[in-house]
């Protein structure tokens, strides 16, 4: 039987994800020569060639991909074993590290942590603000235990490394100056704002979201001003400089801004959590997921709809770009 070295298999998997020996070494805090040596040893142990030179880089052989296909099941089972062992030793105690995009921190993570302090004080949650790409790199590397992102920026639902957990559908409301003629109009539709100057980022997810939502409503938005942060966007709306789409999670009340719900053609974005395969069976991780689901439950602040994981491609959903999720 071949010698299946788990540590070296993790190095091989990281090489598949990062693409180069140098990037793999940086991710694992190793030297490139140590990465190469470990993979050479693994190749010798398994009795197959795992890497082939391709110019100044290397690529995985078919044998390496076969090895990793089977190794994913091993990694998942080890995560389950860790979860069961932690539950046996600590019960509901433990530390859960969470990577989350900026608007999810105050809207979901902070309420979840606050609730857990009251119900499960032995669970410590450590929060790290991170964009989707960074959050999933940290999750794969074992540096966070749970990642929150927009669904369209999450890895595929069939990615063998992760289990995705739908959390919510976040409606996008339109922000209007308080004295706008349509600020209190009945049954506001996005198309009624076709002639307005719009405020959104010059590129990235929010630009794509705004353009897609407006085009679905039948017009191309004229970008009057470019801004990425919600404070700047809402300040410009308040000053009467334009209108904007704002996710309900990110909306902060301002005296001079009216937030209007779009009923007929309401765009949305979807938020998911993800854990490494098997890790969802950890008692502490499970408690944090439960707290996040509770924080995502509709409240009197707005009809935030639970997300069933099927609507990711709906009109107005976020793009797969990698800039920060707001």
């Amino acid at each position: 039987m071949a010698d299946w070295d788990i540590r070296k298999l993790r190095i091989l998997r990281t090489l598949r994800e990062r693409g180069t020996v140098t990037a793999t070494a940086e991710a694992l805090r190793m030297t490139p020569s140590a990465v190469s040596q470990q993979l050479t040893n693994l190749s010798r142990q398994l009795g197959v060639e795992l890497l082939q030179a391709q110019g100044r880089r290397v690529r995985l052989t078919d044998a390496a991909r076969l090895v990793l296909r089977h190794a994913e099941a091993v990694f998942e089972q080890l995560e389950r074993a860790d979860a069961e062992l932690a539950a046996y030793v600590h019960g509901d105690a433990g530390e859960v590290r969470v990577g989350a995009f900026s608007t999810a921190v105050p809207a979901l993570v902070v309420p979840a942590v606050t609730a857990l302090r009251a119900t499960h004080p032995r669970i410590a949650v450590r929060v790290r603000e991170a964009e989707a790409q960074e959050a999933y790199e940290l999750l794969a590397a074992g540096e966070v235990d749970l990642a929150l992102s927009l669904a369209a920026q999450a890895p595929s639902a069939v990615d063998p490394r992760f289990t995705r957990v739908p959390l919510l559908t976040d409606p996008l409301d339109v922000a209007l100056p308080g004295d706008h003629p349509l600020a209190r109009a009945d049954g506001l539709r996005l198309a009624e704002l076709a002639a307005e100057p719009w405020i959104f980022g010059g590129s990235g997810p929010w630009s794509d979201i705004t353009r897609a939502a407006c085009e679905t409503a039948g017009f191309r938005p004229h970008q009057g001003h470019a801004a990425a942060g919600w404070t700047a966007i809402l300040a410009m709306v308040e000053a009467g400089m334009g209108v904007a789409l704002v996710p309900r999670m990110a909306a902060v009340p301002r005296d001079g801004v009216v937030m209007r719900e779009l009923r007929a053609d309401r765009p949305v974005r979807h938020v998911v959590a993800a854990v490494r395969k098997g890790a969802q069976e950890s008692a502490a991780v499970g408690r944090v997921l439960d707290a996040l689901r509770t924080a995502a439950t509709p409240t009197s602040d707005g009809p935030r709809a639970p997300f069933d994981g099927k609507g990711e491609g709906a009109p107005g959903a976020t793009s797969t770009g990698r800039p920060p999720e707001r």
Side-chain angles (χ1 to χ4, degrees):
M1 180 179 290
D3 185 0
W4 296 82
D5 188 311
I6 297 299
R7 183 172 181 275
K8 293 170 186 171
L9 288 171
R10 291 191 189 279
I11 296 173
L12 182 64
R13 182 171 68 166
T14 304
L15 177 61
R16 180 190 63 189
E17 295 163 1
R18 298 304 178 96
T20 68
V21 170
T22 300
T24 300
E26 290 175 357
L28 298 177
R29 296 183 175 86
M30 301 172 64
T31 64
S33 60
V35 168
S36 298
Q37 182 179 14
Q38 292 294 315
L39 292 177
T40 298
N41 291 340
L42 179 62
S43 180
R44 186 180 303 114
Q45 289 169 344
L46 297 178
V48 294
E49 290 295 324
L50 298 174
L51 304 176
Q52 287 182 344
Q54 191 173 43
R56 300 178 65 181
R57 305 179 64 164
V58 294
R59 71 175 184 86
L60 270 61
T61 64
D62 290 342
R65 297 186 186 283
L66 182 152
V67 166
L68 286 173
R69 190 168 68 248
H70 289 282
E72 291 297 346
V74 176
F75 294 139
E76 179 179 354
Q77 192 58 42
L78 287 173
E79 287 286 351
R80 293 180 190 278
D82 282 345
E84 288 188 25
L85 186 60
Y88 175 80
V89 174
H90 303 294
D92 276 349
E95 179 182 79
V96 179
R97 300 158 300 169
V98 176
F101 63 101
S102 58
T103 53
V105 174
L108 294 177
V109 180
V110 170
V113 171
T114 301
L116 282 167
R117 283 177 178 168
T119 59
H120 297 85
R122 296 177 66 206
I123 295 177
V125 179
R126 240 173 64 204
V127 182
R128 180 168 179 171
E129 185 179 321
E131 304 170 21
Q133 182 175 7
E134 181 189 8
Y136 287 106
E137 288 174 355
L138 293 170
L139 187 61
E143 295 187 32
V144 299
D145 306 300
L146 191 153
L148 268 67
S149 75
L150 303 181
Q153 293 183 290
S156 164
V158 298
D159 190 312
R161 298 171 297 167
F162 307 123
T163 295
R164 294 192 350 170
V165 180
L167 287 179
L168 64 88
T169 295
D170 190 26
L172 309 181
D173 298 322
V174 64
L176 300 171
D179 59 356
H180 193 282
L182 296 176
R184 289 162 183 82
D186 293 333
L188 181 64
R189 298 178 65 94
L190 204 55
E192 296 178 67
L193 301 169
E196 299 289 336
W198 284 81
I199 304 167
F200 53 91
S203 62
W206 205 246
S207 172
D208 295 338
I209 290 169
T210 299
R211 293 180 193 279
C214 292
E215 288 172 7
T216 298
F219 68 97
R220 298 189 67 182
H222 164 63
Q223 186 176 27
H225 307 278
W230 298 118
T231 300
I233 289 172
L234 291 172
M236 285 192 276
V237 172
E238 186 176 30
M241 297 167 64
V243 301
L245 282 175
V246 179
R248 198 161 293 172
M249 283 172 59
V252 177
R254 295 183 74 102
D255 291 340
V257 176
V258 174
M259 300 301 304
R260 290 297 310 276
E261 181 179 347
L262 297 163
R263 297 187 181 276
D265 48 7
R266 181 182 66 186
V268 298
R269 65 179 189 171
H270 306 295
V271 180
V272 299
V275 298
R276 289 182 296 279
K277 285 276 188 180
Q280 70 274 18
E281 297 187 17
S282 160
V285 170
R287 295 296 186 188
V288 174
L289 283 171
D290 287 343
L292 287 168
R293 290 190 190 98
T294 300
T297 300
T299 68
S300 59
D301 295 330
R304 198 178 285 160
F307 169 42
D308 64 4
K310 299 178 182 177
E312 187 172 332
T318 87
S319 76
T320 55
R322 290 300 190 188
E325 301 130 311
R326 302 289 181 182

